[in-house]
Each structure stands twice: as C-alpha cells, then as structure tokens.
Amino acid sequence: MTSRIRASEAYVWIWLPGETEPVVAGRLTQDGERLLFTYGTSYRRRKSAIPIYEPELPLRQGLIEPLPGLSMAGCIRDGSPDAWGRRVIINRLVGAKAAEAEVPDITEVTYLLESGSDRIGALDFQESATEYVPRLKSEAPYEELLEAAERIEKGVPLTPALDRALKHGTSIGGARPKALIDSGDRKLIAKFSSSTDLYSVVKAELIAMQLAAACRLNVAPVSMIEAGGKDVLLIERFDRVKTHSGWQRKSMVSALTMLGLDETMARYASYEDLAEVVRHRFTGPKDTLKELYGRIVFNILCGNTDDHARNHAAFWDGKMLTLTPAYDICPQRRTGNEATQAMLIKGDNRMSTLAGCLAAAPDFLLGEDDAATIIEEQIATIAAEWDSICERAKLTETDQKLFAGRQFLNAYCIEGLIGHHALKNAFRDARAALSRRVFRRTSAD
C-alpha cells in the first residue's frame, strides 16, 4: 500500500493528432514537491511527434523543470484529478473517513496513476514505458453510480463493484460527483445531484447551457435523465472523435495552463490576459475573442461566478490553440445582489456587472456599440427562451422562483452602468417579464 501511495515515477502516453492508439512520450519523476519531465528518445524521433504543450514542455532533449513558480507543468496537472476524483482515490487507498490533509504522503504521481485512463484530453499515465494497460471502467447503471457517489460523500466504504464503477470518473476535474459514460457512438460526462444540494444544481446548469446555446454561443450539448429518483445531467464530450478505426483523443489545456498559473495563483487569472493569449496563439483570433466576450457576458447574466480558469480550455494541435466549446456554465447560489467573477475582467476588477464588460470590450477588439449589441441580444434571448427551456427541464415552481431574477438577470448586473439607457431598459424589461411569467405560472398551478 505504501508504494502505491508514494509512487514517484510515471510514464506519459499521448494520443497524437489523428491517431487511435497512444504512444509513450516521456517520463515524469517526483522530485520533492516538483514533477520533472523527460521526453523519450524514440518519441522525439517520430516525425509526427508534437510537444505536449509549449512553452511548458518544448520537444527537446534533457530534463525539463516546471516553469518558475509551478510545482509541475500545467498541461500535466490538467490531466490530474481535482477535488472529486481525489476524494474517490483517498477513499480507496487510505479509508473512507480520511481527508486529503490527513494523508500528505499521497504523491501527485499516485493521483495520476490511480485515476481513470479515459481522462479529459489526450494524455494518460502508466507505470510502464513499453506496455499500455488502460485502467478500464466497469459498466454500471446510473443508479449504481449514484449510490457510489453518495457513499463517497458520506464517507462510507465502497463495495468492490461500486469502486470499479466510480473509478472511471476520477480523472475528471471539478468538485461535484460525476462519472464518464460510454453510450454507443457517444461519450458523455454524467453529473449527479449531491446530497448537500439545496436546489436543483444540475437543472440550473442544464438551463444555463441551453440558454447559452440559444444565445449562439458554442457550448457542449447537454441533456438530462432521471435515475433513482434523482436528476442526472449528461454532457457530450468534445475531446473525443469517433472514426471507423476507433476513438481519437484531442489534446487540451486549461486557461490556467495557458496563463502559466496554478491553483495557488488562480485568483490572478484574468480575461484581459487570456484575450492577449488569444490574439497571439489562437486560430481565428477575431472570432474567438468575440466568442469569449460573449461567454463573459453570459456568465454575468446567468449568475455563473464559478468561471475560474480551469473552466475555460483550448484544443492544442502542437502549434496553435483553438477554443473548445463552453462547459460548466452553472449559476451559483446567491443570497444577495453583489457578486464577483472568479476571473478578473479588466485590471483588478472582477465585479459581476455589465459595466465591467463594456469597459473590457477593447481587449476583445470590440467597439462599445458592438459590445452593447451582444449584451442586448443575450438579454432578449434569455427572456424569449426562458419559458420553453424551463418547461422542457421540468423545473419546479420553487426553483423557477429562485432562479428568475436572482441567479438569472440579477439586478446587480446593471450596477454602475452609466448612460446606455436602452441597455438598462432592455435589462429591466426582460427581468420584469421573467418575474411576471414565473408568478403567473406558479399562481395558476
């Protein structure tokens, strides 16, 4: 058990662009708190080889240390489990009641080797440099996955069958219970309701994602099913491509990695800096900037303040970056009006206001009028599509009253908005219309 907890070496395997089988790229070595990387000679000699990510891991000979201030390359950390996956691994290795703070000897290499192989992006981590042995999932009904998630939350040991069922999802980021699902020609991420939820968090995300799509943003397709009397949100994976010869995997990096930051520095991540990266390193920079700007606006209008830099990502082809579809757009619980975004919008401002969005417009190569048009169109779309999307989601009366005007179109959005009378009026009219319709519907019921 000790050797499993204190693993100090792992080999990085990668699916190269267009390929359906992985090849070994190099070796990770634990050096105190740091992870060092070395490319394999055979990989560097491949004509099709690409750097795992530049500038962090340029394709060159010799030992590569993390960038200054980092304990490991961000592109490697992107493939490591976050809070939920680590809880599952700790449960398996140490015990159901243990907390991560109580088990400091679990190395980052261990987390890489103990998490599922079907992780986000195109990397996996193995004990061998010559034989790839995927940590396969165990197919299980949604009801069993829900039961396993609930046991983890309660600190109850998993049965061997439930452990196998849940292990597949340990490599996904985030803090909420989830699992990876194969469904024929589709690969899905399943997000479960939590026992601690005070309202339907998964339905809030469903509605937000569908409204974002209605606002013509590029978002991952979502749907919802019911299992064991609970809602399960299904998100289509966009990092996998089905071909006649098998599944291809698309390399991805988070905005945190693009900005050269880690979790301890995440509070410094800013949209302003990300826009700079887009201008210089992305395909289609002008269209990408407009899309990213629209996502900032929508996050504010829907009350998603959890827009941290791991909730933005780009595909990496070895030379250029391309923005992925949006994901994890989930309105957060809100008791008052004032709110802040997880990422800075411009300068040191992170307040969840449309005024801040307008001030940042030049960073996205947008004039003030063009930016105002984007905002007005989103406001109008949210108001127009609200009824039909909430009806399809079977949103309860209680949650409709909670979401309308509180998470979605909260009055704080137009705080400090000087001038732009048409924009303020459009917002107020849309917010009032949402409230009236919710009130009429719930009164009639």
Side-chain angles (χ1 to χ4, degrees), residues 53 56 72-82 108 112 119-121 123 125 171-173 252-258 261 263 309-310 312-314:
Y53 179 62
E56 288 191 311
M72 61 191 298
C75 56
I76 299 297
R77 178 63 181 88
D78 285 339
S80 188
D82 281 341
E108 195 64 39
L112 293 172
R119 66 192 71 242
I120 302 300
L123 300 181
F125 307 94
S171 54
I172 321 173
M252 284 173 52
V253 290
S254 69
L256 201 63
T257 293
M258 292 180 246
L261 305 173
E263 282 79 5
R310 281 209 185 281
H312 301 276

Side-chain angles (χ1 to χ4, degrees), residues 19 23 98 105 140-141 158 164 170 186 207 234 278 308 313 395:
E19 299 297 327
V23 296
D105 288 332
L158 294 176
R164 289 192 299 272
T170 54
R186 303 165 68 209
I207 291 167
L234 302 178
V278 170
H308 57 79
L395 197 64

Side-chain angles (χ1 to χ4, degrees), residues 421-442:
H421 300 297
L423 181 55
K424 287 190 286 189
N425 289 338
F427 180 88
R428 288 171 178 146
D429 289 346
R431 187 169 186 269
L434 249 62
S435 298
R436 284 195 301 270
R437 290 205 295 269
V438 169
F439 178 78
R440 282 201 303 267
R441 186 182 307 109
T442 54

Side-chain angles (χ1 to χ4, degrees), residues 215-275:
C215 290
R216 293 182 293 177
L217 296 176
N218 179 20
V219 302
V222 293
S223 59
M224 183 160 286
I225 63 169
E226 187 177 288
K230 291 190 176 182
D231 297 320
V232 179
L233 180 68
L234 302 178
I235 305 106
E236 297 267 359
R237 293 185 66 173
F238 46 73
D239 62 333
R240 298 291 184 265
V241 178
K242 181 68 180 291
T243 70
H244 68 278
S245 57
W247 287 94
Q248 297 174 3
R249 302 191 181 192
K250 303 184 74 170
S251 289
M252 284 173 52
V253 290
S254 69
L256 201 63
T257 293
M258 292 180 246
L259 295 170
L261 305 173
D262 65 10
E263 282 79 5
T264 65
M265 300 180 279
R267 65 187 181 279
Y268 302 116
S270 78
Y271 286 111
E272 186 177 7
D273 291 341
L274 184 55

Side-chain angles (χ1 to χ4, degrees), residues 90-104:
I90 290 169
N91 180 291
R92 181 188 312 123
L93 294 182
V94 181
K97 296 293 184 181
E100 187 172 358
E102 299 169 346
V103 283

Side-chain angles (χ1 to χ4, degrees), residues 13-27:
W13 290 67
I14 185 171
W15 277 255
L16 290 168
E19 299 297 327
T20 58
E21 297 293 335
V23 296
V24 66
R27 182 181 65 198

